[in-house]
C-alpha cells in the first residue's frame, strides 16, 4: 500500500493547473480519440520503466500514481473522475517514471501516445490544459527531486557538476546525495559495492549503477532516445537544439515536416546556461534559459519533432542525396532530404574546474547594456586581448568602478586595434595586467572572489571581485562538416548573398537559382544562429533565423 505522504505538493496558486479536472464536454471530445474501458481494483495500468505509456482520463473511480522503491510505494497523487495521468514523458515518448494503479473498480478513456499527440495537435483548448499540466507536473517533480535517477557525488568533482548539469538541463528529475554533507551515503555506496574513488555514481532506474558515466551512457540508461527511429529518411534533420535549432523544429514540425533534431548535450544550447534572459521579446521580467529551452523542447515535440539527446553529428555525407548525418562512431547514419545546421559556437573558456557553476552568475561571454547594469559601480575583470575584449573594457569602464584587463602576452599591440589601445591607455578606470591568468573562482551562488597568477613572476593574488568577462573569442562548431559547405576565414558558415560567385563555383553549385537566404553552398542545407557568418549573437536572432529557414526548406524539398 502507498504511504500517505506525497512528495508532490504543488503550490496552491497552480494546483488546479497541475491536476485539473476536465469538464464533461471536454471528456466527451477526448472519448472518440481512444477507447472507453473498465478498470479493476488494484489493476496496474502503467508500470515504472514502461516504454509504451498510454494516457488515461479517469471517468469513474480513482487512479493512484506511486513511486515504487525498495518495496515501499510513495504516493505521488490520486486522480479522481475527470482527471488524467501523464507528465512531460507523455509528449517525449520516454519511459514512465511511476506506476499508475486503479484504486477501485471504475472506468477510463485510454489513448495510446500517438492518439494523445494527435489530440493535442487538433484541439486547442485541450492542448493548452494538457500541455500546461504536463509541464507543471515535470517542474514539480524537478523541484521536489522526485524521479528515477539518484546522483551521488561531490560538488568539488567536475564529473558530478557535469552530470548534474546534464540532468538539470534535460529537465530530468533526480535526487542528489552529496558525499561531503551526508555520512549515510557511504552505507548506500557499500550496498552497491562502489568505492569512493568511483564517484560520481548514478543509480539509474533503481538498479543500474553507473560509475562516472558519460552523458551518452546516462541518456541510454534513462531511455532518452528509445522511442526514436534513426533509420528512415527524414524531410529535415536539424543539427543542434539551441534556440535556433528548436525554433526550426517547432516551425518545421508544425508545418507538417518529418523532423529529427540531433543534440550532443541538452536542449537550449548556450542560452540554456543563461540564468536570466531579459532581452527576449515577450518576457519583460526575463526568463531563465533553462525554462525557455524546456518549453521550446516540449513545444517542438508536441508538433511531432523528435529530438535525440547526447549524440553528436560527426560527419555530413554531402556528395549524394539524400544527405546523411553520421552520429558519434559513424555506426549510425541518419538520412535527410534537407538539413539545418544550428550547432552554434564554442566560447573559449577559462581553464578553471568550477567554471560552469558560475556561467551567467558572474562569468559572462558578452558585455551588453544588461551586464553593464549588473556590475555598475563594482569592480570587473575582462579576460582577453583582442578587439572584442578592448571594446568590452571601454564600454564597462563607463559604469564599473574599475576594469582590470587580463592578458597572457606582454602587451596589446599585436592583437588589438590602435584606437582601442589608446582609449584603454587614456582611461584611468582601466588597469592592464600582462602575463596574467585566472587560476580559481570562489563563491557559493555566484562568483565572489577571483584568484590569478602572474605567469612571469609566479605571484598569486586574490580579490573580492564578482564579475568576470571572458572575451577570448568563439569558435564555430563546424569542424564536423569536413568541407561540405563554404566557410568564412573564421570558420563560420557562409549563406545566401554572402556566398561569392567563387564560393559557388568551388562548391559546384548545381542549380540555376542563387542560394536562398540562409542556404549554404550545398542546396537544401541551411545554416542558422550563431554558427552562421554575420549572425547577430542573440537568442532572438537565432530563433528568427531558425523559423525563417523552414520556409526555404519547403521550397528546397519541392525542387
Ligand atoms: C552565459 C550566456 C548568456 C547569454 N545570455 C544571453 C541573453 O541574455 N540574451 C541574448 O539574446 N543572448 C544571450 N546569449 C547568447 C545566446 O545564448 C546565443 O546567441 C544563442 O544561444 C545562439 O543560439 P544557437 O541555437 O545558434 O546556438 P547554441 O545556443 O550554441 O546551440 C547550439 C547547440 O548545438 C549543439 N551542437 C553543437 N555541435 C553539435 C554536433 N556536432 N552535433 C549535435 N549537436 C551539436 C550544442 O550542444 C548546442 O546545444 C548568452 C550566451 C551565453 C553563453
Amino acid at each position: 500500500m502507498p504511504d500517505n505522504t506525497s512528495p508532490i505538493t504543488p503550490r496552491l496558486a497552480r494546483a488546479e493547473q497541475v491536476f485539473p479536472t476536465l469538464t464533461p464536454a471536454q471528456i466527451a471530445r477526448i472519448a472518440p480519440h481512444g477507447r472507453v474501458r473498465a478498470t479493476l481494483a488494484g489493476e496496474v495500468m502503467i508500470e515504472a520503466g514502461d516504454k509504451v505509456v498510454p494516457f488515461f482520463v479517469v471517468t469513474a473511480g480513482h487512479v493512484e500514481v506511486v513511486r515504487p522503491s525498495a518495496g515501499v510505494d510513495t504516493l505521488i497523487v490520486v486522480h479522481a473522475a475527470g482527471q488524467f495521468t501523464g507528465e512531460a514523458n507523455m509528449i517525449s515518448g520516454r519511459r514512465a517514471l511511476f506506476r499508475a494503479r486503479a484504486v477501485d473498480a471504475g472506468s477510463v478513456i485510454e489513448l495510446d501516445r500517438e492518439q494523445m499527440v494527435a489530440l493535442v495537435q487538433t484541439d486547442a483548448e485541450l492542448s493548452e490544459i494538457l500541455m500546461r499540466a504536463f509541464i507543471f507536473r515535470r517542474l514539480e517533480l524537478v523541484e521536489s527531486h522526485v524521479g528515477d535517477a539518484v546522483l551521488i557525488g561531490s560538488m568539488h568533482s567536475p564529473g558530478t557538476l557535469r552530470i548534474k548539469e546534464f540532468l538539470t538541463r534535460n529537465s530530468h528529475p533526480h535526487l542528489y546525495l552529496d558525499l561531503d554533507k551526508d555520512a549515510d551515503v557511504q552505507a548506500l555506496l557499500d550496498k552497491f559495492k562502489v568505492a569512493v574513488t568511483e564517484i560520481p555514481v548514478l543509480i539509474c532506474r533503481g538498479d543500474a549503477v553507473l560509475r562516472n558515466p558519460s552523458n551518452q551512457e546516462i541518456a541510454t540508461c534513462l531511455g532518452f532516445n528509445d522511442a526514436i527511429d534513426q533509420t528512415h529518411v527524414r524531410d529535415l534533420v536539424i543539427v543542434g537544439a539551441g534556440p535556433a535549432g528548436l525554433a526550426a523544429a517547432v516551425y518545421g514540425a508544425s508545418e507538417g515536416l518529418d523532423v529529427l533534431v540531433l543534440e550532443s548535450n541538452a536542449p537550449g544550447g548556450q542560452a540554456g546556461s543563461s540564468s536570466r534572459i531579459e532581452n527576449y521579446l515577450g518576457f519583460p521580467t526575463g526568463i531563465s534559459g533553462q525554462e525557455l529551452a524546456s518549453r521550446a523542447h516540449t513545444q517542438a515535440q508536441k508538433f511531432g519533432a523528435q529530438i535525440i539527446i547526447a549524440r553528436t553529428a560527426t560527419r555530413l555525407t554531402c556528395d549524394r542525396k539524400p544527405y546523411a548525418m553520421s552520429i558519434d562512431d559513424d555506426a549510425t547514419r541518419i538520412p535527410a532530404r534537407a538539413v539545418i545546421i544550428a550547432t552554434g559556437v564554442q566560447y573559449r573558456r577559462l581553464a578553471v574546474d568550477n567554471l560552469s557553476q558560475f556561467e551567467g552568475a558572474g562569468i559572462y561571454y558578452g558585455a551588453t547594456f544588461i551586464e553593464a547594469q549588473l556590475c555598475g559601480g563594482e569592480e570587473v575583470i575582462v579576460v582577453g586581448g583582442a578587439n572584442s575584449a578592448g571594446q568590452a573594457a571601454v564600454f564597462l569602464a563607463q559604469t564599473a568602478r574599475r576594469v582590470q584587463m587580463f592578458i597572457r602576452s606582454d602587451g596589446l599591440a599585436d592583437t588589438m586595434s590602435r584606437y582601442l589601445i589608446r582609449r584603454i591607455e587614456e582611461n584611468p578606470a582601466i588597469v592592464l595586467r600582462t602575463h596574467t591568468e585566472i587560476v580559481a573562482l570562489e563563491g557559493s551562488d555566484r562568483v565572489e572572489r577571483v584568484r590569478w597568477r602572474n605567469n612571469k613572476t609566479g605571484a598569486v593574488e586574490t580579490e573580492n571581485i564578482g564579475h568576470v568577462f571572458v572575451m577570448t573569442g568563439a569558435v564555430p562548431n563546424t569542424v564536423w562538416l569536413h568541407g561540405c559547405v563554404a566557410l568564412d576565414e573564421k570558420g563560420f558558415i557562409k549563406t545566401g548573398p554572402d556566398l561569392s560567385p567563387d564560393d559557388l563555383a568551388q562548391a559546384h553549385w548545381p542549380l540555376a537559382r542563387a542560394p536562398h537566404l540562409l542556404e549554404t553552398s550545398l542546396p537544401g542545407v541551411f545554416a542558422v544562429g550563431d554558427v552562421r557568418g554575420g549572425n547577430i549573437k542573440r537568442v532572438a536572432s537565432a530563433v528568427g533565423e531558425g523559423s525563417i529557414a523552414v520556409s526555404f526548406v519547403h521550397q528546397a524539398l519541392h525542387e
Side-chain angles (χ1 to χ4, degrees):
M1 276 301 289
D3 70 21
N4 279 330
T5 20
S6 166
I8 303 292
T9 41
R11 276 174 252 149
L12 270 183
R14 68 182 190 200
E16 180 46 33
Q17 296 176 329
V18 182
F19 299 119
T21 302
L22 301 173
T23 64
Q26 289 164 343
I27 294 174
R29 293 212 303 279
I30 297 176
H33 288 266
R35 68 180 178 113
V36 180
R37 72 168 180 90
T39 51
L40 301 170
E43 175 189 341
V44 174
M45 300 153 74
I46 302 169
E47 187 52 274
D50 274 358
K51 282 187 179 176
V52 178
V53 188
F55 168 73
F56 295 103
V57 179
V58 183
T59 47
H62 298 85
V63 172
E64 65 186 2
V65 178
V66 297
R67 179 178 50 151
S69 169
V72 181
D73 287 350
T74 306
L75 182 67
I76 305 288
V77 66
V78 178
H79 295 303
Q83 297 187 310
F84 52 88
T85 60
E87 56 94 45
N89 276 12
M90 218 44 252
I91 299 292
S92 62
R94 291 184 190 166
R95 288 172 192 270
L97 294 175
F98 306 114
R99 175 184 297 155
R101 182 170 48 201
V103 178
D104 38 24
S107 63
V108 291
I109 307 171
E110 177 173 348
L111 278 70
D112 64 28
R113 180 173 168 269
E114 284 66 36
Q115 290 169 323
M116 200 277 307
V117 170
L119 171 71
V120 297
Q121 285 175 0
T122 49
D123 190 314
E125 189 197 18
L126 284 169
S127 167
E128 191 182 318
I129 296 169
L130 266 53
M131 293 301 293
R132 192 173 48 208
F134 291 160
I135 291 171
F136 280 168
R137 286 177 190 179
R138 175 52 67 100
L139 285 176
E140 295 289 342
L141 293 173
V142 170
E143 283 169 16
S144 320
H145 308 286
V146 177
D148 56 357
V150 180
L151 177 63
I152 303 166
S154 156
M155 294 310 276
H156 303 294
S157 113
T160 304
L161 297 176
R162 170 181 56 80
I163 295 175
K164 246 185 151 324
E165 184 180 332
F166 180 70
L167 292 172
T168 305
R169 290 194 49 191
N170 278 293
S171 304
H172 195 85
H174 63 280
L175 180 69
Y176 174 63
L177 299 177
D178 195 328
L179 278 173
D180 302 327
K181 293 187 185 149
D182 193 338
D184 294 342
V185 175
Q186 187 60 53
L188 198 119
L189 288 185
D190 291 346
K191 182 177 169 205
F192 287 97
K193 298 194 175 14
V194 177
V196 177
T197 49
E198 292 176 307
I199 63 143
V201 164
L202 186 77
I203 301 178
C204 173
R205 299 201 288 113
D207 46 12
V209 179
L210 308 179
R211 291 154 169 83
N212 197 10
S214 67
N215 290 352
Q216 191 180 332
E217 286 169 322
I218 299 170
T220 303
C221 183
L222 294 174
F224 281 3
N225 304 321
D226 280 356
I228 302 177
D229 173 33
Q230 303 181 7
T231 53
H232 76 266
V233 184
R234 304 281 176 163
D235 293 332
L236 174 62
V237 169
I238 299 165
V239 188
L246 287 172
V250 167
Y251 280 85
S254 69
E255 291 171 17
L257 299 178
D258 178 3
V259 176
L260 180 76
V261 185
L262 268 177
E263 168 54 51
S264 57
N265 186 22
Q270 298 161 59
S273 64
S274 171
S275 55
R276 191 140 292 267
I277 298 169
E278 300 208 33
N279 55 354
Y280 189 57
L281 187 73
F283 294 91
T285 54
I287 180 166
S288 77
Q290 167 68 24
E291 191 175 351
L292 186 67
S294 135
R295 282 165 178 263
H297 186 196
T298 309
Q299 194 177 12
Q301 287 175 322
K302 163 187 142 170
F303 287 120
Q306 295 189 309
I307 304 184
I308 296 186
I309 299 296
R311 305 299 303 271
T312 301
T314 47
R315 183 174 292 275
L316 171 65
T317 303
C318 55
D319 54 356
R320 56 186 175 276
K321 282 189 166 183
Y323 301 122
M325 233 68 48
S326 299
I327 309 183
D328 292 319
D329 49 8
D330 243 25
T332 310
R333 287 173 146 226
I334 299 178
R337 298 169 63 211
V339 177
I340 291 183
I341 302 166
T343 45
V345 297
Q346 200 71 52
Y347 282 98
R348 291 200 187 92
R349 303 169 91 221
L350 299 176
V352 177
D353 278 350
N354 55 354
L355 181 75
S356 59
Q357 181 187 341
F358 297 120
E359 282 175 328
I363 295 289
Y364 315 100
Y365 294 96
T368 70
F369 181 66
I370 294 175
E371 287 85 16
Q373 276 183 321
L374 287 176
C375 49
E378 297 181 27
E379 182 145 1
V380 308
I381 293 171
V382 173
V383 182
N387 279 357
S388 58
Q391 282 161 0
V394 172
F395 172 67
L396 292 167
Q398 294 169 13
T399 45
R401 184 161 53 80
R402 187 166 77 136
V403 178
Q404 301 203 46
M405 276 195 86
F406 288 7
I407 58 170
R408 283 198 287 198
S409 62
D410 59 1
L412 296 171
D414 293 342
T415 50
M416 195 179 286
S417 303
R418 189 64 223 147
Y419 82 96
L420 270 174
I421 298 177
R422 202 163 47 241
R423 282 196 199 162
I424 288 167
E425 287 168 350
E426 287 169 0
N427 194 326
I430 304 179
V431 178
L432 180 68
R433 288 184 182 268
T434 56
H435 304 289
T436 303
E437 207 173 341
I438 291 183
V439 290
L441 299 168
E442 293 171 5
S444 46
D445 291 345
R446 47 177 307 112
V447 176
E448 287 162 22
R449 280 170 305 284
V450 182
R451 188 172 312 138
W452 61 84
R453 181 179 54 222
N454 183 309
N455 288 334
K456 207 169 180 188
T457 64
V460 174
E461 289 178 63
T462 305
E463 276 189 31
N464 294 335
I465 296 178
H467 307 281
V468 179
F469 291 81
V470 184
M471 310 298 291
T472 43
V475 187
N477 292 320
T478 49
V479 177
W480 64 281
L481 290 164
H482 298 291
C484 277
V485 301
L487 306 178
D488 69 16
E489 67 286 354
K490 289 186 175 161
F492 290 86
I493 301 175
K494 288 176 116 176
T495 54
D498 291 344
L499 287 158
S500 66
D502 274 358
D503 291 327
L504 295 178
Q506 265 185 24
H508 306 293
W509 177 259
L511 304 176
R513 66 162 175 84
H516 293 299
L517 192 75
L518 307 175
E519 194 170 25
T520 68
S521 56
L522 193 60
V525 176
F526 299 81
V528 295
D530 281 14
V531 76
R532 194 180 69 78
N535 162 275
I536 307 295
K537 297 192 171 31
R538 290 282 183 274
V539 174
S541 37
V543 168
E545 290 182 10
S547 320
I548 295 168
V550 169
S551 65
F552 298 117
V553 167
H554 286 294
Q555 294 181 36
L557 288 176
H558 285 109
E559 266 166 352

